[in-house]
Amino acid sequence: MSEDERPEKPPGRSPDEIPDEIPDKIPDKIPESSAEGVPETGPPAAGLPGPMPPAEPPTALEEPAGARERSGAPADGRQRLRAGLWPPRVSRAQLIVALLLFGLGLGLAIQVRSTNDNSVLRGARQEDLVRILDELDNRTQRLQDEKRRLEAQRTELENSSNHAAEARKQTEQKAQQLGVLAGTVAAQGPGITLTVTDPKGSVQADMLLDTLQELRAAGAEAIQINDVRVVAGTYFTQASSGVQVDGHGVSQPYRFKVIGNPPDLEPALNIPGGVVQTLEKEQATADVVRSQKIIVNALRVSKQPDYARSSSG
């Protein structure tokens, strides 16, 4: 290579011209980061510190102070809660509220139980439900008739010129009605005749009482059993000699003379599970005959009360 083609040397100084102060710029201490990972081959040079021992990690049993405080907080809270709940401290207001709630719950329980008791008709037989419905219809009809009759009497009293005579007339009519009910006056009208024949003597007093109750519920106004007039206080007993009505012995066939509306009386006895079927189960027969004229002529003796007096006037 020719001298012209040689690269020019960068400007600078020769090694002989390097100043002597450069070695003085070497740091006296070596950083610890540069010393890590270098194997130790001998004692440290004079004037240089040795490697720092590594920090010991905290043991598992040792817990920071802040963590100890945090872990102790829930325990203190449970203790305070337990101390606040036990022993219980009941104030007067809390006791009153508890008594009121107890009374309210007891009332609700009684109401629910009474409601369940009133729902006994749910398990009744179909024939019993029909009979009850018929009795309610008949009773409603009788009450409506009584209402119309009373309204008619009031109208007559209001329109009559002689109020005293009209009042006397209505009083006599009322006395006749009460006499029929009390059994002191004979009565006649449409109705039925029920004849119960019991050849085996299996009909008891309670069966005749059930028959009487059915007739009353159907709207019977006057009833006579054989020769005994039936009134509000009539009772039946089973004696050794047979059935007794108000202390008077009656023998079969038992004949009921009943004044009332025949279309209401006869179906009441012939409903499924009614009087006729019950008597037939006892091998007795029950014959019902309608009539437009039934005479009830058995009378009761009118008794004057010894102590009771009218409070009017």
Side-chain angles (χ1 to χ4, degrees), residues 139-185:
R139 187 175 303 174
T140 302
Q141 184 64 35
R142 291 195 300 271
L143 291 176
Q144 290 178 354
D145 295 341
E146 181 70 14
K147 177 184 177 183
R148 285 192 294 267
R149 187 181 62 81
L150 293 176
E151 290 176 349
Q153 291 180 359
R154 184 186 64 183
T155 303
E156 291 177 359
L157 286 173
E158 292 176 350
N159 297 333
S160 177
S161 58
N162 190 348
H163 296 286
E166 185 64 28
R168 189 180 303 110
K169 177 183 176 181
Q170 293 189 9
T171 302
E172 292 176 356
Q173 293 177 354
K174 190 67 175 178
Q176 289 289 332
Q177 294 174 2
L178 294 177
V180 171
L181 296 177
T184 59
V185 177

Side-chain angles (χ1 to χ4, degrees), residues 212 216 225 228-237 243-250 300:
L212 176 61
R216 282 175 170 173
I225 303 177
V228 180
R229 183 70 172 267
V230 175
V231 293
T234 295
Y235 62 92
F236 292 78
T237 56
V243 179
Q244 292 184 354
V245 181
D246 292 338
H248 302 280
V250 292
R300 290 290 186 112

Side-chain angles (χ1 to χ4, degrees), residues 16-72:
D16 297 336
E17 296 177 355
I18 295 175
D20 298 331
E21 65 271 16
I22 291 177
D24 297 337
K25 295 181 179 181
I26 298 174
D28 297 334
K29 296 181 179 180
I30 300 174
E32 295 178 0
S33 59
S34 61
E36 293 178 1
V38 178
E40 187 176 353
T41 57
L48 296 178
M52 297 291 294
E56 296 181 358
T59 60
L61 299 176
E62 187 176 359
E63 190 175 6
R68 286 196 300 270
E69 294 177 358
R70 288 192 300 269
S71 62

Side-chain angles (χ1 to χ4, degrees), residues 197-216:
T197 305
D198 180 25
K200 294 189 175 182
S202 57
V203 176
Q204 302 294 320
D206 56 346
M207 299 179 185
L208 298 180
L209 177 59
D210 292 340
T211 304
L212 176 61
Q213 297 294 354
E214 289 288 349
L215 293 171
R216 282 175 170 173

Side-chain angles (χ1 to χ4, degrees), residues 112-155:
V112 170
R113 183 172 181 178
S114 63
T115 304
N116 293 333
D117 293 340
N118 292 333
S119 62
V120 68
L121 294 177
R122 296 178 181 176
R125 298 178 301 175
Q126 183 177 2
E127 52 268 21
D128 295 336
L129 296 176
V130 172
R131 177 178 57 82
I132 294 173
L133 183 60
D134 291 341
E135 292 178 359
L136 292 177
D137 292 340
N138 295 333
R139 187 175 303 174
T140 302
Q141 184 64 35
R142 291 195 300 271
L143 291 176
Q144 290 178 354
D145 295 341
E146 181 70 14
K147 177 184 177 183
R148 285 192 294 267
R149 187 181 62 81
L150 293 176
E151 290 176 349
Q153 291 180 359
R154 184 186 64 183
T155 303

